[in-house]
Amino acid sequence: MKKAVFLAFSFLFLVSCNDDKKSTSPGEPVMDTEDSIERDFTMDDIDEDRDNVETGNETVNTIQTPADHEFTGNYRKVNGEESGPCDCDCLEVNLTSPSQLCISPDKMYISAKFVKTSGTTADVFLVEPGNVENAENELPWEEFDTETPIATIDLQPNGSMVLDWKGFHIDGELATDYAIYGKKTLEGTYKKQ
């Protein structure tokens, strides 16, 4: 009789120990044992469950890019004077009508158009010479391309703009004799006014 009670007690003890192995505390993995229930999960089920999990403190870091309407406006060169008249250190970006660009202070201005190439970049094209007071050094304006960009502008995430001067072109080639015109006065970083 002692043997029967001992065997019954041992059997109950073993069964209760196996139940403890199957139940887990939150966060603990389920133990694989011989009598575990077969799992029929697929990777799609796991991905779907993971996508449905919400976290309270989740923040998404995004790179801020300026909106299209912020592209146009008046800009002043960063190394220029903060106040006073805009001699050659200011630039008006207008996507609908030509703007005046200063090539040489008080001597040479051109009319240029801005054409967006993306949400933050644009090409600058020569339209025609503007106020040209350099009679002794007349440039061959009629030979300069109006379909090749003379500069590019790139709007930065902080709202500033970088102008990269390419130069005047003749028949698609850089007019090296006139490449310096505009580079010193226009190239650089501009801050929106």
Side-chain angles (χ1 to χ4, degrees), residues 75-181:
Y75 294 84
R76 185 179 286 264
K77 208 169 195 181
V78 171
N79 62 350
E81 294 181 24
E82 289 295 319
S83 62
C86 288
D87 291 328
C88 267
D89 61 344
C90 290
L91 182 67
E92 178 188 1
V93 177
N94 189 334
L95 299 174
T96 58
S97 63
S99 298
Q100 186 174 353
L101 301 182
C102 176
I103 301 298
S104 179
D106 299 323
K107 292 182 182 178
M108 190 183 321
Y109 295 85
I110 62 169
S111 180
K113 66 179 178 178
F114 297 88
V115 177
K116 277 178 49 172
T117 55
S118 75
T120 59
T121 60
D123 286 336
V124 183
F125 295 90
L126 171 67
V127 175
E128 62 185 1
N131 182 12
V132 181
E133 300 291 332
N134 61 343
E136 71 268 6
N137 294 325
E138 186 66 37
L139 301 180
W141 296 109
E142 65 282 347
E143 294 180 32
F144 289 153
D145 293 343
T146 57
E147 299 300 318
T148 303
I150 58 173
T152 59
I153 56 175
D154 187 13
L155 196 58
Q156 303 298 302
N158 66 0
S160 67
M161 178 185 67
V162 176
L163 186 140
D164 182 24
W165 181 257
K166 303 296 183 190
F168 297 110
H169 291 74
I170 299 175
D171 296 326
E173 297 291 323
L174 180 64
T176 54
D177 293 340
Y178 310 104
I180 194 73
Y181 288 98

